[in-house]
């Protein structure tokens, strides 16, 4: 798009939103402002502006203000021009090279949409928005609350449901900006509706422009952060902070995919300090995918003993066998293939992708949910899977190029060391303290939001330590359900009295020599809680009369070869098992 007869002037002041006073050729002229927005940051007194002569006989103002110099950047501020710029660009064969029709001001619903395009197979609606508000290399829209923009986005959402292809097209009327974000502080509803529109299938595009004093043309696409902004601003500081403050952990020293995988599965539901020794022992015994794939189940469970959630390691072995069979023993190197492996969800797939391969994928765990919901002051239930998915999508858009590992681990590390879940967060140590909306709005004590979980089911149990000298009775649990396939001490439902405990022994062919009560204990699983009492029972001839099929194993062998889950930790010491 080109202008005719353009002159340079000096902005003086703006009596109202339609006109301005400009010094032109040493004379003060009243000129028409072709942008009814506030534009306060664009038009300070003395700003260099550009005017086009208006060839309209009889009009009171003979000049139109079309552009302004801000620093070294020339910004076109003609709000009537973005539609023409996009139309010319489409006419030149861009976006829809097979178009058969382009129409301006198309009536749809209760709105007039800027452009309607037809191709042999599609009906397309395009709403165009001009962007002139720039701050520190990024642009924001809108510069004032815009209910009209909200209305248009709602219409586009409806159009998608009715079979149209719909676009919201931001024309950034300047060159060389980094990205576009919704202006949350000015109009938070716009930011929410923009994200809703994308999720509804409206396509969001933004292009910057090559701007001269007498022309403007679309230049190149720039990223759009469709949600509450700030996320782009946090990316580099998080990565920088991580590289300066990260803990020395064994799986970080050589971040290859197998080691990252093992560590991330272990870290689920387990403290970092506790995982260190398990990780080193596991990697020493099973240093590769191949060794994990062929390990005996008892060996596998023994290596995992104490970590709990034993299905995790069983799933790992299934996945390892898949890697051996389907990938020739090489760990898959794409997020999509990693995600297909047994027991790997979006978090673990993202962690392996980012930490081992540098792929720009997010790894959103509880730490990250806490950091992001506080940072953005998101008052949404993090127990809702849709909230986690939304945050994953948002973070994927802002991962800094070449720094996926530092960014992803940085968010986790901030959550683990600084943005703490209980007590007072260490905001003074946080690289995000200045931008954090949760801190600014005094919401840290109530974020993240999570609905109370259903009350756990309580099960009462009586645990028996049947002993004969150095041998202890154990039994293997069923192959399905809670703690499947692990070994345990014999136990019964309910809290048995001593007389009932004696009857339990006799019914199983075990004749007690002595019986004593052991302390009560409790173990909490995700959805069930065990409340336990125990009895130590000394017996003669364990194997000869027992009818239950218990195993009678030297306690030293139990410690080395049999996986007893941590649920029984309160009783293992009475059995002499370390």
């Amino acid at each position: 798009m080109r202008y005719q007869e353009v002159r340079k002037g000096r902005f003086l002041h703006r009596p109202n939103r339609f006109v301005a006073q400009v010094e032109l050729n040493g004379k003060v002229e009243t000129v028409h402002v072709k942008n009814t927005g506030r534009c306060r940051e664009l038009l300070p007194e003395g700003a260099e502006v550009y005017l086009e002569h208006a060839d309209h006989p009889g009009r009171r103002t003979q000049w139109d203000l079309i552009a302004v110099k801000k620093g070294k950047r020339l910004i076109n501020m003609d709000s009537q021009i973005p539609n023409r710029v996009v139309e010319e660009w489409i006419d030149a064969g861009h976006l829809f090279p097979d178009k058969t029709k382009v129409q301006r001001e198309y009536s749809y619903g209760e709105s007039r949409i800027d452009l309607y395009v037809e191709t042999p197979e599609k009906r397309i609606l395009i709403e165009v928005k001009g962007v002139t508000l720039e701050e520190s290399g990024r642009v924001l829209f809108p510069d004032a609350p815009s209910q009209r923009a909200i209305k248009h986005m709602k219409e586009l959402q409806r159009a998608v449901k009715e079979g149209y292809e719909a676009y919201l097209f931001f024309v950034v009327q300047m060159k060389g900006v980094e990205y576009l974000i919704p202006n949350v502080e000015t109009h938070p509803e716009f930011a929410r509706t923009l994200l809703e529109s994308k999720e509804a299938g409206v396509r969001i595009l933004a292009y910057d422009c090559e701007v001269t004093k007498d022309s403007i043309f679309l230049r190149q696409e720039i990223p759009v952060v469709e949600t509450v902004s700030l996320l782009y601003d946090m990316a580099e500081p998080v990565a920088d902070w991580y590289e300066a403050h990260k803990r020395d952990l064994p799986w970080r020293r050589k971040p290859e995919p197998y080691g990252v995988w093992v560590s991330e599965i272990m870290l689920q539901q387990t403290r970092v300090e506790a995982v260190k020794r398990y990780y080193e022992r596991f990697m020493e015994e099973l240093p590769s995918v191949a060794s994990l794939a062929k390990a005996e189940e008892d060996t596998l469970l023994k290596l995992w003993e104490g970590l709990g959630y034993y299905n995790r390691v069983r799933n790992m072995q299934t996945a390892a066998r898949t890697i051996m069979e389907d990938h020739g023993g090489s760990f898959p190197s794409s997020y999509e293939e990693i995600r297909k492996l047994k027991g790997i969800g979006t978090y673990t797939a993202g962690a392996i992708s980012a930490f081992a391969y540098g792929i720009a994928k997010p790894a959103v765990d509880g730490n990250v949910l806490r950091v992001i919901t506080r940072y953005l002051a998101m008052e949404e239930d993090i127990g809702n899977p849709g909230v986690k998915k939304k945050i994953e999508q948002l973070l994927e858009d802002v991962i800094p190029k070449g720094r996926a590992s530092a960014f992803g681990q940085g968010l986790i590390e901030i959550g683990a060391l600084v943005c703490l879940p209980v007590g007072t967060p260490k905001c003074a140590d946080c690289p995000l303290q200045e931008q954090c909306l949760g801190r600014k709005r005094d919401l840290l004590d109530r974020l993240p939001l999570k609905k109370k979980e259903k009350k756990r089911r309580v099960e009462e149990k009586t645990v028996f330590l049947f002993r004969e000298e150095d041998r202890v009775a154990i039994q293997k649990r069923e192959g399905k359900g809670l703690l499947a396939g692990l070994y345990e001490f014999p136990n019964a439902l309910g809290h048995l009295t001593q007389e009932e405990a004696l009857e339990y022994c006799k019914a199983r062919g075990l004749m007690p020599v002595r019986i004593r009560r052991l302390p009560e204990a409790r173990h909490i699983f995700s959805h069930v809680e065990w409340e336990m009492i125990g009895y130590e029972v000394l017996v003669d001839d364990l194997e000869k009369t027992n009818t239950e099929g218990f195993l009678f194993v030297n306690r030293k062998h139990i410690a080395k070869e049999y996986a007893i889950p941590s649920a029984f930790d309160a009783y293992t010491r009475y059995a002499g098992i370390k």
Side-chain angles (χ1 to χ4, degrees), residues 12-65:
L12 299 177
H13 68 99
R14 190 177 181 185
N16 60 54
R17 60 185 181 144
F18 299 104
V19 299
Q21 299 291 311
V22 173
E23 182 184 320
L24 180 64
N25 298 327
K27 180 183 175 183
V28 176
E29 293 275 359
T30 298
V31 305
H32 175 230
V33 180
K34 299 187 75 174
N35 189 316
T36 57
R38 294 172 183 174
C39 305
R40 292 168 184 164
E41 77 294 336
L42 289 178
L43 295 174
E45 184 178 350
E48 180 182 309
V49 295
Y50 289 86
L51 312 170
E52 181 189 35
H53 186 260
D55 188 15
H56 298 293
R59 203 178 83 166
R60 292 179 59 188
T61 54
Q62 297 303 304
W63 297 91
D64 291 325
L65 195 160

Side-chain angles (χ1 to χ4, degrees), residues 387-531:
V387 173
K388 181 184 177 185
K389 183 178 180 181
K390 180 195 296 186
I391 290 175
E392 287 173 338
Q393 292 171 338
L394 300 179
L395 290 177
E396 187 168 350
D397 289 338
V398 304
I399 295 171
K401 190 173 183 180
R403 307 189 75 186
S405 178
F407 176 68
Q409 295 193 81
L411 286 175
I412 294 169
E413 200 81 329
I414 289 170
L417 303 179
V418 178
C419 197
L420 302 176
V422 291
T424 305
K426 299 177 182 179
C427 294
D429 298 331
C430 183
L432 307 175
Q433 59 178 296
E434 294 301 323
Q435 304 105 307
C436 179
L437 293 181
R439 187 178 74 89
K440 288 180 180 180
R441 299 176 186 174
D442 198 26
L443 294 173
L444 297 182
D445 288 343
R446 54 186 297 246
L447 293 177
L449 294 181
K450 188 173 184 180
K451 291 181 180 178
K452 289 185 179 180
E453 297 178 355
K454 292 181 180 179
K455 195 172 181 180
R456 295 184 185 91
R457 184 178 79 256
V458 176
E459 290 184 0
E460 295 182 344
K461 285 184 175 293
T462 300
V463 178
F464 290 90
L465 297 184
F466 293 118
R467 295 183 55 184
E468 180 192 38
E469 296 181 353
D470 284 337
R471 294 192 301 162
V472 178
I474 59 175
Q475 63 185 8
K476 192 166 187 175
R477 290 179 65 88
E478 293 182 0
K480 294 182 179 180
L482 185 66
L483 305 178
L486 299 175
Y487 292 88
E488 64 178 357
F489 301 119
N491 57 86
L493 287 174
H495 287 170
L496 305 185
T497 64
Q498 186 160 320
E499 291 74 17
E500 291 169 333
L502 286 171
E503 289 301 318
Y504 176 91
C505 299
K506 293 175 183 178
R508 282 151 184 80
L510 297 171
M511 302 306 297
V513 175
R514 190 182 74 195
I515 184 170
R516 71 172 177 131
R517 178 76 177 263
L518 297 176
E520 297 177 0
R522 174 185 296 173
H523 189 83
I524 297 174
F525 299 93
S526 299
H527 305 293
V528 65
E529 182 178 324
W530 284 359
E531 291 186 352

Side-chain angles (χ1 to χ4, degrees), residues 175-190:
K175 177 181 177 180
V177 295
E178 295 178 21
Y179 54 89
L180 181 147
I181 56 176
N183 195 345
V184 181
E185 292 191 5
T186 296
H187 198 183
E189 185 185 359
F190 177 85

Side-chain angles (χ1 to χ4, degrees), residues 210-269:
E210 190 73 48
V211 177
T212 70
K213 65 179 183 179
D214 60 1
S215 70
I216 176 171
F217 298 96
L218 289 185
R219 179 173 171 267
Q220 67 181 28
E221 188 172 4
I222 64 168
V224 178
V225 182
E226 297 88 356
T227 182
V228 277
S229 61
L230 297 181
L231 289 174
Y232 262 101
D233 294 337
M234 79 185 298
E236 294 290 350
V238 166
D240 290 343
W241 181 90
Y242 172 75
E243 289 170 349
H245 296 88
K246 64 183 176 184
R247 288 171 290 179
D248 179 24
L249 300 175
W251 46 88
R252 288 178 177 165
R253 294 167 195 160
K254 187 182 177 183
E256 47 83 31
Y258 177 69
V260 172
W261 178 37
V262 172
S263 69
E264 290 300 337
I265 298 297
M266 285 186 171
L267 285 164
Q268 295 170 16
Q269 309 292 334

